Amino acid sequence: MNEEKISSRFIYFFGAFGGILFGYDIGVMTGALPFLEKDWNLYNSAGIVGWITSAVMFGAIFGGALAGQLADRLGRRKMILISAIIFAVFSVLSAIAPNNGSYYLIIMRIFLGLAVGAASALVPAYISELAPAAIRGRLSGLNQTMIVSGMLISYIVDYILKGLPNQIAWRLMLGFACIPAIILYLGVIKLPESPRYLIKDGRPDEAQKVMSYVRSSEGEINNEINQIKETAHKEQEAQKTSWSALFSGKYRYLVIAGVGVAAFQQFQGANAIFYYIPLIVQKATGQAATSTLMWPIIQGVILVIGSLVFMWIAENFNRRTLLMFAGTI
């Protein structure tokens, strides 16, 4: 770990920067898909188009599931670095797919999804383990802002590249995803490890030093270190607990609520707009999908503004009330 003090803003910014990767990859297919369809003549291959689009989310299922277990063994910081490397490598491999190599591209994007899933699981955990309780709502909003900002960046890149030949445009759109991955890697190299992981790994002195970057007083640092030690001790004692414990009376409603919110976020249909808005506009207006790439940018701007408004709302209203209200809309 570096001896010089690391700014808390730097830690929070790059701690949340993984959201840019997640958002870019969600958004980039919006613009790339119309060019890919033209280049590989996929107009009558809805199944292939669907798999190419959703392959990242399929890989993300496994990436998210594995990330937590590996992060407990290797550390949050190291796993984020590994995710950035995987993301950069498979972004480039996706961009150099052989002509009409649909199955190759699907496989590359599944591997890319491993990094996306890992980043989406690790970033909130890393931030929550570093952030003071008073600003955790704001920082969870920062992660969401990073995700939608990544989507907006991908929409802008798609729009800038739309004048290129079909066979080049979609490849550059996918390949440019390696740039935020490289930025994330360079930023995270300077980040400290999570104090929670350091304590579980038997390095309390390093954990205390990391806490000094993001806490203002010695008393606050010592109090939180003691809380982390106590929690780690309880977790160690409970290691033999079975999966069935998650569905016991004590935890059942928390699990149902947490999984339910995540599931219904996917089922409510917004992803269809995120991925296919140029094709939807093409069907509705008759315009070529490759010429309707301003629509995703408008969508991206609305998403970013909405996430910034959420950051203010999350700081001023009860979280439970917000969840109940949002669930009724």
Side-chain angles (χ1 to χ4, degrees):
M1 190 188 308
N2 295 333
E3 289 300 317
E4 66 176 290
K5 185 176 175 68
I6 304 172
S7 162
S8 60
R9 291 184 178 181
F10 183 91
I11 292 172
Y12 296 145
F13 178 81
F14 278 103
F17 196 84
I20 293 282
L21 274 65
F22 187 22
Y24 187 96
D25 209 82
I26 289 174
V28 71
M29 284 306 293
T30 304
L33 200 54
F35 295 92
L36 179 61
E37 277 192 331
K38 275 190 174 182
D39 187 27
W40 288 359
N41 192 27
L42 297 175
Y43 295 111
N44 298 315
S45 304
I48 293 293
V49 170
W51 266 106
I52 290 172
T53 304
S54 61
V56 166
M57 295 298 105
F58 180 74
I61 295 172
F62 300 98
L66 291 171
Q69 298 179 42
L70 292 175
D72 283 341
R73 296 181 182 181
L74 303 176
R76 282 57 162 158
R77 174 181 172 274
K78 187 176 290 186
M79 279 304 302
I80 294 174
L81 288 171
I82 292 171
S83 298
I85 293 171
I86 294 173
F87 196 98
V89 169
F90 284 97
S91 294
V92 174
L93 290 176
S94 296
I96 60 173
N99 192 37
N100 294 315
S102 298
Y103 295 108
Y104 168 93
L105 185 57
I106 290 169
I107 293 170
M108 293 303 102
R109 284 180 57 76
I110 288 174
F111 280 105
L112 185 60
L114 293 175
V116 170
S120 65
L122 293 170
V123 167
Y126 181 82
I127 292 175
S128 67
E129 291 176 7
L130 279 164
I135 63 169
R136 279 177 191 154
R138 193 183 314 158
L139 288 176
S140 67
L142 175 62
N143 180 49
Q144 182 62 29
T145 299
M146 287 292 193
I147 292 173
V148 294
S149 295
M151 293 172 68
L152 177 58
I153 290 169
S154 72
Y155 297 151
I156 293 171
V157 169
D158 291 349
Y159 186 82
I160 291 171
L161 298 176
K162 71 174 186 175
L164 295 175
N166 296 325
Q167 65 271 24
I168 297 175
W170 69 265
R171 294 179 185 274
L172 288 180
M173 291 171 185
L174 298 185
F176 278 175
C178 72
I179 296 174
I182 293 169
I183 294 172
L184 175 66
Y185 183 88
L186 295 175
V188 173
I189 281 179
K190 297 183 178 181
L191 292 188
E193 183 51 85
S194 156
R196 187 173 184 275
Y197 172 77
L198 291 171
I199 287 174
K200 291 182 71 174
D201 199 45
R203 293 184 276 170
D205 291 341
E206 289 185 42
Q208 189 148 5
K209 182 176 180 181
V210 172
M211 293 297 290
S212 71
Y213 300 153
V214 291
R215 300 293 186 274
S216 56
S217 69
E218 192 71 25
E220 187 181 7
I221 293 170
N222 291 332
N223 182 52
E224 194 151 349
I225 290 290
N226 289 333
Q227 288 180 0
I228 294 172
K229 286 180 178 178
E230 184 179 345
T231 303
H233 179 68
K234 289 179 179 178
E235 288 178 353
Q236 192 172 11
E237 289 182 341
Q239 277 183 351
K240 295 182 180 179
T241 302
S242 67
W243 281 95
S244 62
L246 288 175
F247 301 97
S248 66
K250 186 177 180 181
Y251 302 110
R252 183 185 303 124
Y253 294 109
L254 290 173
V255 173
I256 292 173
V259 174
V261 168
F264 282 110
Q265 279 182 327
Q266 303 306 312
F267 291 150
Q268 46 81 26
N271 284 354
I273 303 296
F274 294 157
Y275 289 124
Y276 300 114
I277 189 170
L279 300 179
I280 293 172
V281 173
Q282 176 180 265
K283 294 287 186 182
T285 66
Q287 292 180 285
T290 52
S291 66
T292 60
L293 297 187
M294 181 57 71
W295 284 98
I297 294 178
I298 295 170
Q299 171 186 258
V301 170
I302 293 170
L303 289 171
V304 171
I305 292 172
S307 73
L308 294 174
V309 172
F310 162 78
M311 289 175 69
W312 176 83
I313 292 174
E315 286 297 301
N316 291 278
F317 293 91
N318 180 279
R319 313 284 197 274
R320 180 174 174 273
T321 302
L322 290 174
L323 280 172
M324 292 174 65
F325 175 75
T328 62
I329 297 178

